[in-house]
Amino acid sequence: MTRQIIFAIVLLITLGVFAWTANRIFNFFKLTRPAFPVRDFGKRFLVMLEVAFGQTTIMRKPFTGFLHALVFWGFCVILVGSVEMVIDGLAGTERALQVLGVVYTVISASGDVFAFIIALAILFFLFRRLFVHTKRFEGIEMKKVSHIDAAVALTMIFLLMVSLLGMNASYIVLKIGQGEEVAGYYPVAIRMVVLFAGMNEHSVHIWHEIFWWSHIGLIFIFANMLPYSKHFHVFMSVPNVFLSRLEPLGKLANMESITREVKLMMNPDTAFQAAPEGSAPERFGVKDAEDVTWKNYLDSLACTECGRCTEVCPANITGKKLSPRKIIMDLRARMKQKGPGMVKNGRSYDDGMSLLRTYISEEELWACTTCNACARECPININHPSLIVDMRRYLVMEEGSAPGELKAVFSNIENNGAPWQYSPEDRLLWAKDLEINVQ
Ligand code: SF4
Ligand code: SF4
């Protein structure tokens, strides 16, 4: 009973801290603007199955992609075992899901094998992080803290797998020693029982307790560390893929506020109607954290910092300052910085900084060709160009700021109805000497 009480207290503390963090993030979401309406659930479900659970985009890099997919699938299976541990911890049972019979045999065996595979994959990822020069893990946005964060999370996952295998192996030895039936099947752990050779039952029991508590303890610590780490994608990537933009990549969203203005102009009857009560004049485009949509912010939380977007960005490849990964990471950092102030003082809170310029320069924004290669390559369907374009929209519509060449184009469109510097009347002059009737 004491064990159950201690476990319940630890679980309550874990859930309490997690709820506090979740509430903090939820409050940040409340500061954002609406994005697209979420419908087409069937289509979204299929995208989630293909991209998130099928790991199709990530496997464009076959070797590391497949390793990552194994880690992901392994986590899904091992999650069942973690739920079982919580049930056992609260109810004082042992391997409570063994009531599932043959299903339990499959789950326990695959969890055991996946734990071994994940441990090996994580060793590879750690080795690559620490000793191999991988270009996509570099860049001005990849500060030392990003690398430390990745290494700490990978080490924790490795320890999680080792403790799981140790727990399974000591459980087998314990049950065999007690002359009882082993619930489930553990193809890897059974080969580790030699580690406990010569130990008496009490020592094996202590080792089992150590592995059990360290495994569940690591899960609880890891779950509370994730929201402050790039490994938050463990939680956020599946919802982010489910909530993907379903429109073709190149399609730019209309601006609600502009659509409203245009409709107003087209319908003179409504031109003098009072604005709806409480409606504050809206900023065009994105200048700071409060101007982004909930989807932009969700993207930033889900980003794994893998660098696949930056790796294919033509602007980045040709030496421009732009890195699409940095744009997404900057938004996450800015919301973390300004969010608490806005929650406390309202959306109009000003700390003298902004996402635009303090974090992201105009030079970066105008370097984007809107080719969408980044969005296509992102394994969790993050859409970078939508944020970049919205920041440009702010620059143009609120500040009239754009590169000289674009300003000429804008004024040509305004004056001539076309991007060229010719009067509309001269549009067909090119054909005047041709023997065709242009009248
Ligand atoms: S935006 Fe996507 S591709 Fe780019 S670093 Fe983040 S997860 Fe990777
Ligand atoms: S859309 Fe912009 S940021 Fe993305 S790959 Fe193309 S140039 Fe780079």
Side-chain angles (χ1 to χ4, degrees):
M1 195 62 190
T2 318
R3 190 178 189 271
Q4 285 165 258
I5 293 170
I6 294 172
F7 182 82
I9 293 170
V10 174
L11 181 64
L12 268 180
I13 294 171
T14 305
L15 292 177
V17 176
F18 192 80
W20 182 84
T21 308
N23 182 52
R24 183 172 179 267
I25 292 172
F26 181 67
N27 282 334
F28 292 170
F29 268 108
K30 287 202 287 192
L31 301 166
T32 58
R33 284 180 177 175
F36 44 83
V38 179
R39 37 174 109 98
D40 296 322
F41 287 97
K43 207 169 172 186
R44 290 183 180 283
F45 189 70
L46 290 179
V47 172
M48 186 179 75
L49 280 186
E50 182 193 330
V51 179
F53 290 101
Q55 299 272 292
T56 44
T57 316
I58 208 161
M59 282 208 242
R60 286 188 191 144
K61 287 185 186 298
F63 181 65
T64 49
F66 186 60
L67 276 189
H68 186 279
L70 286 174
V71 172
F72 176 81
W73 295 326
F75 259 101
C76 295
V77 176
I78 289 170
L79 191 65
V80 181
S82 309
V83 172
E84 181 186 48
M85 288 180 77
V86 172
I87 297 171
D88 285 345
L90 288 174
T93 49
E94 189 180 81
R95 308 261 160 177
L97 296 186
Q98 60 180 291
V99 291
L100 298 175
V102 70
V103 177
Y104 187 71
T105 309
V106 174
I107 291 173
S108 55
S110 45
D112 197 59
V113 172
F114 268 124
F116 182 64
I117 294 172
I118 293 175
L120 290 184
I122 296 297
L123 280 182
F124 169 79
F125 289 144
L126 259 176
F127 180 81
R128 188 180 54 161
R129 280 260 167 199
L130 298 177
F131 304 111
V132 181
H133 167 83
T134 309
K135 194 164 179 290
R136 72 184 160 92
F137 292 147
E138 288 167 8
I140 48 164
E141 67 275 26
M142 296 304 284
K143 310 248 160 41
K144 205 171 174 192
V145 66
S146 296
H147 296 292
I148 294 173
D149 174 31
V152 168
L154 288 172
T155 308
M156 284 196 78
I157 297 173
F158 179 73
L159 292 176
L160 270 170
M161 298 307 123
V162 170
S163 56
L164 179 57
L165 289 171
M167 183 178 78
N168 288 345
S170 54
Y171 168 73
I172 296 169
V173 177
L174 207 56
K175 286 287 119 184
I176 292 173
Q178 291 167 347
E180 291 177 20
E181 197 185 331
V182 175
Y185 177 54
Y186 308 93
V188 177
I190 198 141
R191 285 161 179 81
M192 294 168 59
V193 295
V194 286
L195 296 173
F196 302 93
M199 285 190 198
N200 61 28
E201 192 185 322
H202 181 67
S203 305
V204 179
H205 177 74
I206 290 181
W207 272 112
H208 181 260
E209 286 295 289
I210 290 172
F211 284 127
W212 195 92
W213 281 100
S214 49
H215 185 69
I216 199 74
L218 279 168
I219 291 176
F220 289 170
I221 294 170
F222 195 50
N224 276 303
M225 269 175 58
L226 287 184
Y228 302 94
S229 146
K230 90 179 191 82
H231 280 79
F232 199 25
H233 75 265
V234 172
F235 288 149
M236 303 308 279
S237 54
V238 176
N240 197 59
V241 172
F242 182 77
L243 295 166
S244 301
R245 240 178 61 128
L246 296 179
E247 288 163 328
L249 280 183
K251 187 176 172 190
L252 288 178
N254 281 338
M255 292 173 74
E256 270 288 312
S257 41
I258 298 293
T259 310
R260 262 201 315 274
E261 293 279 326
V262 172
K263 279 186 182 160
L264 209 64
M265 282 193 286
M266 310 267 284
N267 181 2
D269 294 344
T270 58
F272 299 103
Q273 279 177 6
E277 213 175 313
S279 64
E282 218 176 285
R283 182 182 279 157
F284 293 129
V286 170
K287 179 190 180 195
D288 209 350
E290 68 274 19
D291 303 322
V292 302
T293 67
W294 60 262
K295 182 63 175 77
N296 295 140
Y297 183 47
L298 186 66
D299 280 349
S300 77
L301 293 178
C303 176
T304 71
E305 300 177 14
C306 67
R308 284 171 166 80
C309 51
T310 298
E311 192 180 39
V312 295
C313 172
N316 188 275
I317 292 168
T318 51
K320 312 284 189 306
K321 236 180 131 190
L322 173 64
S323 161
R325 169 176 57 191
K326 176 177 175 292
I327 302 287
I328 299 298
M329 288 172 68
D330 282 345
L331 169 57
R332 181 171 60 198
R334 177 59 181 150
M335 185 61 100
K336 191 173 161 197
Q337 180 189 45
K338 193 181 181 187
M342 286 196 286
V343 171
K344 208 165 154 198
N345 306 300
R347 282 180 93 237
S348 53
Y349 169 70
D350 184 5
D351 62 357
M353 290 179 263
S354 62
L355 180 63
L356 180 67
R357 299 209 174 87
T358 312
Y359 284 78
I360 302 170
S361 66
E362 289 181 53
E363 188 186 339
E364 287 167 79
L365 295 176
W366 291 114
C368 176
T369 66
T370 60
C371 66
N372 276 282
C374 50
R376 185 182 172 276
E377 210 55 37
C378 178
I380 49 172
N381 286 3
I382 285 175
N383 193 286
H384 321 67
S386 60
L387 179 57
I388 293 172
V389 167
D390 277 345
M391 294 186 81
R392 286 182 186 177
R393 281 169 166 170
Y394 167 81
L395 283 170
V396 172
M397 301 178 86
E398 294 272 355
E399 295 189 359
S401 169
E405 302 88 328
L406 274 180
K407 279 189 178 161
V409 170
F410 293 152
S411 63
N412 287 336
I413 290 173
E414 200 174 337
N415 298 326
N416 307 329
W420 299 285
Q421 207 178 358
Y422 305 108
S423 151
E425 287 84 50
D426 298 340
R427 194 171 283 171
L428 291 174
L429 285 184
W430 63 275
K432 77 176 170 34
D433 296 328
L434 299 179
E435 290 179 6
I436 51 173
N437 184 4
V438 294
Q439 297 306 314

